[in-house]
Amino acid sequence: MSAPQPHEPHFTFRLPRTALRNAAIAFGVGLLLFLIVWWAGRDDGFYTAQPTLPGKAAPLEALPEPLSTGDGASGMEEPAPRAASDERPQLVEEKPMPTPVPEAAAPTPPEPTAPAAPGVTLAPGDVPVPIPGQTPAPEYPPAAMRSGDQGTVLVRVEVGADGVPTSVEVAQRSGSRDLDRAAVNAVRQWRFQPAQRDGQAVAGAVTVPIDFKMR
């Protein structure tokens, strides 16, 4: 068995609490004094810009003049200066425009006239007159007859110089489309004595009534 080894001694150094507190107070006081001295001795004008005297501008260095090589910057020749006479505006004389000549108003064409056809009698005035025996009566529409429709249709007729109707239309309706249609179809077959003016047949218009009555 080995002989027991002696224990090595351990030493622990401990400062008293009063010493630590005094050291902390001394450090704080020193730091406060340093700040007071630094604040009192700082330079307030360190960042202040120096004012310039009024009326005097700082001298500027002149830039060097560009080199004159005789050629343009791109190596192309510069165009020659134009003469002063070329820049002045020149007055170019032009021939005056011809004065427009007003066109004469076209004359109003007279109403077409035609000599009376052989065997055609002219109306006594400027209103066409139906020729007796050449005015067939309209047929009574069966549908209007079944429904008992009655009435009078006013038909406006435009008659040419030859006495034949050129346009037929309803001027006043009867209330039944069947009766209106039958009246127009009948008057288209009529013949008239054409209107006259100075002994010549002219076109005219007349309105004729067509009555539809059930017996």
Side-chain angles (χ1 to χ4, degrees):
M1 297 178 61
S2 58
Q5 296 180 0
H7 296 282
E8 295 181 0
H10 294 278
F11 297 96
T12 302
F13 180 75
R14 295 182 179 178
L15 292 176
R17 293 183 178 179
T18 56
L20 293 176
R21 184 176 57 187
N22 294 336
I25 293 174
F27 177 78
V29 172
L31 180 60
L32 180 61
L33 292 176
F34 174 77
L35 293 176
I36 293 174
V37 173
W38 175 81
W39 181 266
R42 70 186 184 89
D43 188 8
D44 294 338
F46 181 77
Y47 295 101
T48 305
Q50 296 293 334
T52 57
L53 296 178
K56 292 184 179 181
L60 300 176
E61 296 182 1
L63 297 176
E65 298 181 357
L67 298 178
S68 58
T69 58
D71 298 336
S74 59
M76 300 179 62
E77 296 183 358
E78 296 181 358
R82 295 184 298 178
S85 60
D86 297 342
E87 298 181 357
R88 295 178 181 176
Q90 298 181 359
L91 179 62
V92 179
E93 296 183 359
E94 296 183 356
K95 295 181 180 181
M97 296 292 293
T99 304
V101 178
E103 297 182 358
T108 304
E111 295 183 2
T113 60
V120 176
T121 305
L122 298 180
D126 56 355
V127 178
V129 177
I131 299 176
Q134 299 187 26
T135 56
E139 296 182 0
Y140 214 112
M145 188 178 297
R146 287 193 300 267
S147 59
D149 294 339
Q150 300 184 79
T152 301
V153 184
L154 295 182
V155 181
R156 185 178 184 276
V157 191
E158 294 183 4
V159 182
D162 55 354
V164 178
T166 58
S167 175
V168 181
E169 61 183 4
V170 177
Q172 182 177 339
R173 301 182 181 277
S174 63
S176 173
R177 292 184 178 180
D178 295 334
L179 298 181
D180 297 344
R181 188 180 301 110
V184 171
N185 293 336
V187 175
R188 284 199 180 107
Q189 309 300 322
W190 288 13
R191 293 297 179 263
F192 296 81
Q193 296 176 359
Q196 66 166 325
R197 183 176 300 167
D198 298 332
Q200 300 292 331
V202 296
V206 64
T207 301
V208 295
I210 306 296
D211 294 329
F212 290 90
K213 293 182 179 180
M214 298 180 61
R215 296 180 181 177

